[in-house]
Amino acid sequence: MAWPRVRLVVTADDFGYCPRRDEGIVEAFLAGAVTSVSLLVNGAAAESAAELARRHQIPTGLHANLSEGRPVGSARHGASSLLSPEGFFLGKMGFREAVAAGDVALPQVREELEAQLGRFRELLGRNPTHVDGHQHVHVLPGGPMPSWA
Protein backbone atom coordinates (compact mmCIF):
# COMPACT_ATOMS: atom_id res chain seq x y z
CA MET A 1 0.00 0.00 0.00
CA ALA A 2 1.36 3.41 -0.98
CA TRP A 3 1.29 6.07 1.71
CA PRO A 4 0.04 9.55 0.76
CA ARG A 5 2.72 12.19 0.45
CA VAL A 6 2.73 14.52 3.40
CA ARG A 7 4.54 17.84 3.58
CA LEU A 8 5.45 19.06 7.03
CA VAL A 9 5.54 22.84 7.39
CA VAL A 10 7.46 24.16 10.39
CA THR A 11 6.95 27.89 10.81
CA ALA A 12 9.08 30.04 13.10
CA ASP A 13 7.08 33.00 14.31
CA ASP A 14 8.18 36.28 15.89
CA PHE A 15 10.61 36.84 12.99
CA GLY A 16 11.58 40.51 13.30
CA TYR A 17 11.32 40.58 17.10
CA CYS A 18 15.06 41.04 17.61
CA PRO A 19 18.26 40.38 15.60
CA ARG A 20 19.50 37.55 17.80
CA ARG A 21 16.24 35.61 17.49
CA ASP A 22 16.23 36.24 13.75
CA GLU A 23 19.76 34.84 13.40
CA GLY A 24 18.66 31.62 15.11
CA ILE A 25 15.59 31.36 12.90
CA VAL A 26 17.67 31.80 9.74
CA GLU A 27 20.14 29.18 10.98
CA ALA A 28 17.25 26.77 11.53
CA PHE A 29 15.90 27.52 8.05
CA LEU A 30 19.28 26.97 6.40
CA ALA A 31 19.66 23.68 8.31
CA GLY A 32 16.26 22.52 7.04
CA ALA A 33 14.55 22.47 10.44
CA VAL A 34 12.27 25.42 9.62
CA THR A 35 10.38 25.75 6.35
CA SER A 36 8.82 29.22 6.72
CA VAL A 37 8.69 32.25 8.99
CA SER A 38 6.03 34.65 10.22
CA LEU A 39 7.13 38.29 10.28
CA LEU A 40 6.20 40.56 13.19
CA VAL A 41 6.03 43.81 11.20
CA ASN A 42 6.01 46.01 14.30
CA GLY A 43 9.05 44.22 15.74
CA ALA A 44 12.24 46.10 16.51
CA ALA A 45 14.11 44.17 13.78
CA ALA A 46 11.36 43.92 11.14
CA GLU A 47 13.40 45.66 8.43
CA SER A 48 16.51 43.52 8.87
CA ALA A 49 14.39 40.36 9.15
CA ALA A 50 12.67 41.21 5.86
CA GLU A 51 16.10 41.60 4.27
CA LEU A 52 17.15 38.19 5.62
CA ALA A 53 13.96 36.63 4.24
CA ARG A 54 14.65 38.11 0.80
CA ARG A 55 18.33 37.15 0.84
CA HIS A 56 17.67 33.54 1.82
CA GLN A 57 14.38 33.21 -0.10
CA ILE A 58 12.50 32.19 3.03
CA PRO A 59 8.74 31.74 2.57
CA THR A 60 7.34 34.49 4.78
CA GLY A 61 3.92 35.12 6.24
CA LEU A 62 2.44 37.88 8.37
CA HIS A 63 2.45 37.36 12.13
CA ALA A 64 -0.56 39.56 12.92
CA ASN A 65 -0.04 41.29 16.26
CA LEU A 66 -2.66 42.97 18.42
CA SER A 67 -1.08 42.33 21.80
CA GLU A 68 2.54 43.49 22.01
CA GLY A 69 4.44 46.65 21.17
CA ARG A 70 3.09 49.62 19.24
CA PRO A 71 0.67 49.58 16.31
CA VAL A 72 1.75 50.34 12.75
CA GLY A 73 -1.63 51.80 11.70
CA SER A 74 -3.31 55.09 12.47
CA ALA A 75 -3.99 54.02 16.07
CA ARG A 76 -0.41 55.02 16.84
CA HIS A 77 -1.47 58.67 16.44
CA GLY A 78 -4.37 58.69 18.91
CA ALA A 79 -6.74 56.89 21.22
CA SER A 80 -7.78 53.37 20.31
CA SER A 81 -9.59 50.51 22.02
CA LEU A 82 -6.51 48.42 21.18
CA LEU A 83 -4.06 50.53 23.18
CA SER A 84 -3.10 51.45 26.71
CA PRO A 85 -2.92 55.16 27.62
CA GLU A 86 0.84 54.93 26.92
CA GLY A 87 0.20 53.95 23.29
CA PHE A 88 1.13 50.26 23.51
CA PHE A 89 -1.04 47.25 22.74
CA LEU A 90 -2.83 45.94 25.85
CA GLY A 91 -0.76 42.78 26.21
CA LYS A 92 -1.85 39.20 25.77
CA MET A 93 -4.19 39.04 28.75
CA GLY A 94 -5.26 42.67 28.51
CA PHE A 95 -6.36 42.18 24.90
CA ARG A 96 -8.21 38.95 25.78
CA GLU A 97 -9.98 40.68 28.67
CA ALA A 98 -10.92 43.66 26.49
CA VAL A 99 -12.34 41.32 23.81
CA ALA A 100 -14.32 39.36 26.43
CA ALA A 101 -15.71 42.61 27.87
CA GLY A 102 -16.74 43.87 24.43
CA ASP A 103 -14.37 46.83 24.73
CA VAL A 104 -12.50 46.24 21.46
CA ALA A 105 -13.81 48.10 18.42
CA LEU A 106 -13.62 45.59 15.56
CA PRO A 107 -13.24 48.35 12.92
CA GLN A 108 -10.03 49.37 14.73
CA VAL A 109 -8.85 45.76 14.66
CA ARG A 110 -9.49 45.60 10.93
CA GLU A 111 -7.70 48.91 10.37
CA GLU A 112 -4.62 47.78 12.30
CA LEU A 113 -4.46 44.40 10.59
CA GLU A 114 -4.78 46.03 7.18
CA ALA A 115 -1.98 48.43 8.16
CA GLN A 116 0.17 45.45 9.16
CA LEU A 117 -0.54 43.80 5.82
CA GLY A 118 0.46 47.05 4.09
CA ARG A 119 3.67 47.20 6.12
CA PHE A 120 4.43 43.59 5.19
CA ARG A 121 4.00 44.48 1.51
CA GLU A 122 6.31 47.50 1.93
CA LEU A 123 9.00 45.38 3.58
CA LEU A 124 8.85 42.37 1.23
CA GLY A 125 7.25 43.72 -1.93
CA ARG A 126 4.64 40.96 -2.07
CA ASN A 127 1.74 39.37 -0.20
CA PRO A 128 2.42 37.01 2.69
CA THR A 129 2.49 33.27 2.07
CA HIS A 130 0.25 32.85 5.12
CA VAL A 131 -1.19 34.77 8.07
CA ASP A 132 -1.08 33.67 11.69
CA GLY A 133 -1.56 35.50 14.96
CA HIS A 134 0.91 36.60 17.62
CA GLN A 135 -0.02 35.06 20.97
CA HIS A 136 -2.92 33.28 19.26
CA VAL A 137 -5.15 36.37 18.91
CA HIS A 138 -6.60 34.84 15.74
CA VAL A 139 -8.50 32.23 17.78
CA LEU A 140 -10.26 34.61 20.15
CA PRO A 141 -14.06 34.94 19.99
CA GLY A 142 -15.30 37.85 17.92
CA GLY A 143 -13.37 36.99 14.78
CA PRO A 144 -10.67 39.68 14.88
CA MET A 145 -9.04 38.41 11.67
CA PRO A 146 -10.34 40.28 8.61
CA SER A 147 -11.71 38.63 5.49
CA TRP A 148 -8.37 38.87 3.59
CA ALA A 149 -6.63 36.66 6.17
Side-chain angles (χ1 to χ4, degrees), residues 19-57:
R20 190 162 182 192
R21 183 175 299 180
D22 297 342
E23 290 170 18
I25 290 172
V26 170
E27 263 185 55
F29 174 77
L30 295 175
V34 165
T35 55
S36 67
V37 298
S38 295
L39 180 63
L40 198 60
V41 297
N42 74 328
E47 292 84 4
S48 60
E51 172 56 33
L52 288 168
R54 283 192 305 274
R55 182 182 323 143
H56 297 289
Q57 299 179 327

Side-chain angles (χ1 to χ4, degrees), residues 11 36-41 53 58-64 113-132 145-146 148-149:
T11 301
S36 67
V37 298
S38 295
L39 180 63
L40 198 60
V41 297
I58 304 173
T60 306
L62 172 63
H63 199 46
L113 293 176
E114 287 176 346
Q116 289 183 24
L117 176 62
R119 179 73 176 134
F120 181 96
R121 289 173 175 153
E122 287 172 13
L123 290 169
L124 285 155
R126 61 169 177 78
N127 285 324
T129 58
H130 63 277
V131 177
D132 57 23
M145 293 301 281
W148 52 260

